[in-house]
Amino acid sequence: MPDIESLLKETRVFKPGKAFAKQANWSKKNVRELRKLGAKDPEKFWARMAKKNVTWFKPWKKTLDWKPPFAKWFVGAKTNVSYNCLDRHLEGKNAWRSNKAAIIWEGEPGDQRVLTYSQLHREVCKFANVLKGLGVTKGDRVALYMPMVPELAIAMLACTRIGAPHSIVFGGFSSESLRDRINDAGAKLVVTADGGYRRGEPLPLKPAVDEAITGCKSVENVVVVRRCENDVKWKKGRDHWWHDLMAEASADCPAAKLDSEHPLFILYTSGTTGKPKGILHTTGGYLTHVTTTAKAVFDLKDEDVYWCTADIGWITGHSYVVYGILANGATTLMYEGGPTTPGPDRFWDIIERHRVSIFYTAPTAIRTFIRLGDEHPQGHDLSSLRLLGSVGEPINPEAWIWYHEVIGGKRCPIVDTWWQTETGGIMITPLPGAVDTKPGSATLPFPGIAAEVVDEKAKKVKAPDGGFLALTKPWPGMLRGIWGDPKRYEETYWSKFGKFYFAGDGAHRDKDGNFWIMGRIDDVMNVSGHRIGTMEVESALVSHKDVAEAAVVGRPDEITGTAVVAFVSPRAGVEAGDPLVKELREHVAGEIGAFAKPAEIRFTDALPKTRSGKIMRRLLRDIASGNETVGDTTTLEDLSVLAKLRDEG
Ligand code: PRX
């Protein structure tokens, strides 16, 4: 019996379009060679990428120093992330980029700002001097608790310029969560704003900082960006307005020559229990990884307007709103607010007005748009789009097809990118000019990345059996540890398989070697002796014409061991009643098998999601079993969803 069974059969294949393939940064031939090199000698592959895509002040002595599970990449080399994202686009043959848009920003109320590379460089240098003026030196941690405004990117790049690792805390977190994170990192300075716009209202941020740092000994100064002009309390001597400090700051600040392994940032992810984990990333390897993957996977060109909808408070925003994109000298679009403000077509309106060519978003957003109806995207000219991306969760095949047809006009390749906060950059992904895609599959590991599906004993399983997704060789963007807790790092990621990194996801491979991610291992259900992942039953439900989104969990059952309970969001205008329940149960039986039929189906307008948009199945399990919710619900985006689900149950 395999560890996880794979049930869903998806056979549609989409080849790269001829015109796209012809102009792709990475051609089929190129990819074939790079894959060969990456498999034979990953260090050589990454060294080649590092030379080609990153500017170094001093070369490395050794590509990789691997003392499992601790890696050092490009040992002895010196570089600077801010230099790679800014200065090198103002020099030599790239100097023409000086007046090219680095950031196109749009606020939720509709205000806009464009920062060219030379303007961004100037602002970053000035803020780096502000940091120095407030006593921040190399190695000091800086916490950023900010809305999606250009000052966030400026602050990040300023930190990297002087070698002060940043710790970005998503602006939706509470003051307690902020306090825990500031204390864990021992941050010396906090950058925040009076507020930011979200769903039509200014959302205050400064009060949470005031509250949080009453319990933080390490914080000496707070810098506040004026965004919403809402009232703020002020502590003289500690609090400073961004614009006051910037008015005085010099724009001359050479980038520090930092060691390749110098800490770049800490980003907290919630663990399954208690204390959040401070995932540590360092300089040279991370920069090589994100710059190379951004260029290859998104096919970034100088002419592109690239838009990733993730908040910079998540890893996707770090790697593919800011660092990987600016390091390539591309134009990145940043949007401050909610996807449905002022109307359900805000995203499509932005794409039309800014002529966005590359669009990277999450399955949860895609399914929300499916539910809202096709008329919203169809009311806009989306012909500027040439490539689409997906990240954060498995994308159900039918959502993939909708994305391809309704948003991509059947002409845009889709890159379904699998990776994690811990991996730093994209790991399993199509290369849009070279790899055939299958809806629901992230396809193949990026060249130089080694991934396998293994069983409990770390043995490779045979296709198409499911198992645990493991990364079998170190890679440059990998986390270097958990801040202040090397033991937890070893236990969490390396104790299961010893020599392999355990990703926590279930997956299987098909006969062509493609990877299909089946969801988190913790969510696997054991139904009548079959161990099945949540993704496949959910995909079966979403493939029904009336369903926009579904989440499936197991509830203890005397007869079958576990009964499948499905929470289903119907599409707009669908009547959700007993006839649909019956139809959906039969539909799942037909798609997968009778044993996977949900014992119970509950209809709901909204599913509980984390602030980064992932469905929280743990909470749904409690509801399905009639248990009290235990554990942390602070990462839940909208608490009222939970109460509503309980009432309806
Ligand atoms: O379960 C996988 C899912 O998101 C997890 C990582 O979450 P986080 O650290 O928040 O980073 C999200 C952005 C990179 C993974 O362990 N996941 C991410 N991308 C995919 C995915 N699951 C399936 N397909 C994907 N493309």
Side-chain angles (χ1 to χ4, degrees):
M1 194 68 150
D3 285 326
I4 311 173
E5 284 181 63
S6 91
L7 309 161
L8 204 70
K9 302 282 172 282
E10 174 58 59
T11 52
R12 290 168 284 193
V13 179
F14 293 78
K15 293 195 172 303
K18 270 208 184 92
F20 191 99
K22 218 171 137 197
Q23 61 80 60
N25 286 347
W26 281 27
S27 71
K28 204 165 179 164
K29 183 165 162 272
N30 211 345
V31 169
R32 205 179 306 125
E33 278 162 21
L34 291 173
R35 268 198 211 295
K36 227 190 250 165
L37 175 62
K40 207 176 109 210
D41 193 345
E43 287 177 43
K44 199 165 167 190
F45 168 84
W46 286 112
R48 189 190 287 181
M49 295 301 122
K51 261 189 209 139
K52 201 170 154 89
N53 298 324
V54 170
T55 307
W56 302 84
F57 301 133
K58 191 179 152 203
W60 52 93
K61 290 200 182 77
K62 199 173 169 196
T63 306
L64 171 67
D65 174 17
W66 179 225
K67 296 198 178 66
F70 298 97
K72 288 185 185 151
W73 281 88
F74 310 116
V75 184
K78 294 214 186 289
T79 184
N80 183 291
V81 170
S82 148
Y83 178 89
N84 275 273
C85 290
L86 300 168
D87 307 55
R88 66 168 172 165
H89 306 309
L90 311 177
E91 296 164 356
K93 70 175 177 16
N94 291 329
W96 68 270
R97 285 198 186 118
S98 302
N99 292 322
K100 170 181 173 168
I103 297 177
I104 297 177
W105 175 83
E106 183 162 309
E108 195 184 72
D111 43 343
Q112 300 188 10
R113 280 165 69 190
V114 176
L115 284 158
T116 64
Y117 270 98
S118 73
Q119 287 169 331
L120 184 60
H121 176 259
R122 191 179 157 78
E123 296 298 298
V124 168
C125 289
K126 282 167 70 180
F127 197 65
N129 280 328
V130 166
L131 291 173
K132 285 185 185 169
L134 293 173
V136 176
T137 55
K138 189 169 140 185
D140 288 341
R141 276 81 60 206
V142 175
L144 310 177
Y145 182 71
M146 297 175 76
M148 280 285 280
V149 290
E151 284 79 2
L152 174 51
I154 293 167
M156 293 165 83
L157 289 161
C159 286
T160 70
R161 200 161 184 87
I162 63 170
H166 56 68
S167 161
I168 305 185
V169 181
F170 172 62
F173 278 119
S174 65
S175 57
E176 292 94 291
S177 308
L178 177 61
R179 179 185 299 141
D180 290 347
R181 287 158 173 76
I182 291 175
N183 279 336
D184 190 76
K188 195 166 180 183
L189 181 127
V190 181
V191 186
T192 187
D194 49 4
Y197 286 97
R198 195 76 199 177
R199 299 199 187 103
E201 301 285 333
L203 183 80
L205 287 169
K206 175 83 172 23
V209 174
D210 293 335
E211 214 179 302
I213 61 177
T214 53
C216 301
K217 288 201 196 79
S218 58
V219 177
E220 295 169 3
N221 291 288
V222 177
V223 179
V224 188
V225 174
R226 186 144 74 198
R227 165 69 184 132
C228 299
E229 310 210 359
N230 49 320
D231 286 338
V232 288
K233 280 203 191 132
W234 209 252
K235 191 165 168 192
K236 250 190 141 167
R238 182 198 71 184
D239 297 349
H240 317 267
W241 283 114
W242 172 287
H243 54 264
D244 287 343
L245 297 173
M246 288 292 267
E248 305 285 312
S250 144
D252 181 18
C253 180
K257 295 187 167 67
L258 300 173
D259 194 85
S260 175
E261 282 298 331
H262 187 74
L264 177 63
F265 64 81
I266 304 166
L267 180 56
Y268 287 86
T269 67
S270 38
T272 37
T273 52
K275 208 172 142 214
K277 299 176 284 196
I279 303 299
L280 173 67
H281 285 286
T282 60
T283 302
Y286 171 86
L287 182 62
T288 301
H289 189 163
V290 298
T291 308
T292 306
T293 46
K295 186 171 173 183
V297 176
F298 300 125
D299 193 47
L300 271 186
K301 302 267 179 5
D302 264 314
E303 301 77 12
D304 280 311
V305 177
Y306 165 96
W307 182 23
C308 165
T309 65
D311 193 285
I312 291 178
W314 312 117
I315 189 70
T316 309
H318 285 60
S319 301
Y320 301 111
V321 174
V322 181
Y323 293 130
I325 309 306
L326 297 179
N328 277 292
T331 298
T332 189
L333 190 141
M334 251 175 98
Y335 169 57
E336 176 186 35
T340 54
T341 307
D345 64 339
R346 181 62 185 263
F347 275 15
W348 322 124
D349 182 43
I350 290 177
I351 291 176
E352 177 172 0
R353 278 187 291 104
H354 295 285
R355 306 302 290 158
V356 171
S357 54
I358 302 171
F359 181 61
Y360 190 35
T361 194
T364 172
I366 296 167
R367 292 183 302 248
T368 302
F369 293 126
I370 296 177
R371 194 155 52 83
L372 292 171
D374 296 1
E375 64 273 24
H376 307 298
Q378 277 163 356
H380 289 275
D381 176 6
L382 305 181
S383 62
S384 56
L385 289 172
R386 65 179 196 91
L387 182 121
L388 302 174
S390 168
V391 61
E393 277 194 306
I395 180 164
N396 317 105
E398 286 320 313
W400 193 104
I401 295 288
W402 182 89
Y403 198 27
H404 174 68
E405 291 179 351
V406 180
I407 307 306
K410 297 190 184 170
R411 80 187 167 272
C412 306
I414 296 181
V415 288
D416 172 5
T417 59
W418 179 88
W419 57 294
Q420 307 178 301
T421 304
E422 291 86 345
T423 69
I426 293 170
M427 301 293 281
I428 304 182
T429 179
L431 291 159
V435 173
D436 294 355
T437 52
K438 302 182 185 184
S441 169
T443 70
L444 300 167
F446 192 78
I449 298 294
E452 292 290 358
V453 179
V454 300
D455 64 15
E456 285 282 356
K457 298 197 177 75
K459 245 186 77 200
K460 205 168 141 176
V461 304
K462 59 177 196 316
D465 287 350
F468 306 94
L469 181 58
L471 301 167
T472 57
K473 285 194 183 136
W475 65 98
M478 69 189 277
L479 75 164
R480 298 304 197 263
I482 294 175
W483 185 257
D485 202 344
K487 218 165 138 219
R488 192 174 177 196
Y489 166 65
E490 294 190 51
E491 273 163 18
T492 312
Y493 303 106
W494 302 91
S495 63
K496 190 168 176 71
F497 300 131
K499 55 193 171 162
F500 298 161
Y501 169 90
F502 172 48
D505 286 344
H508 75 93
R509 299 182 81 167
D510 63 21
K511 61 177 180 7
D512 301 323
N514 288 299
F515 283 75
W516 300 74
I517 312 298
M518 298 160 83
R520 300 293 294 170
I521 283 293
D522 298 343
D523 295 330
V524 166
M525 305 171 289
N526 191 333
V527 186
S528 307
H530 302 273
R531 282 171 52 84
I532 56 181
T534 49
M535 150 71 171
E536 297 190 325
V537 184
E538 287 161 4
S539 291
L541 286 162
V542 174
S543 73
H544 188 279
K545 64 177 190 336
D546 291 343
V547 176
E549 183 157 37
V552 160
V553 295
R555 144 163 76 66
D557 183 274
E558 277 179 18
I559 301 163
T560 54
T562 304
V564 175
V565 180
F567 295 82
V568 170
S569 292
R571 288 195 189 214
V574 167
E575 190 167 330
D578 288 344
L580 184 57
V581 169
K582 203 162 158 255
E583 214 178 297
L584 290 178
R585 296 188 71 225
E586 290 316 314
H587 183 73
V588 173
E591 292 282 308
I592 295 182
F595 70 92
K597 255 202 242 186
E600 197 183 323
I601 293 183
R602 298 194 191 183
F603 294 110
T604 173
D605 286 341
L607 293 165
K609 290 183 186 161
T610 63
R611 293 167 193 275
S612 63
K614 291 188 211 295
I615 297 171
M616 285 182 93
R617 293 184 186 76
R618 174 170 62 81
L619 301 182
L620 290 173
R621 269 200 298 274
D622 291 337
I623 292 171
S625 327
N627 295 338
E628 276 299 308
T629 305
V630 285
D632 191 11
T633 53
T634 53
T635 51
L636 195 65
E637 202 211 12
D638 180 359
L639 260 176
S640 69
V641 171
L642 205 59
K644 226 168 133 205
L645 279 165
R646 283 194 187 284
D647 292 348
E648 284 162 1

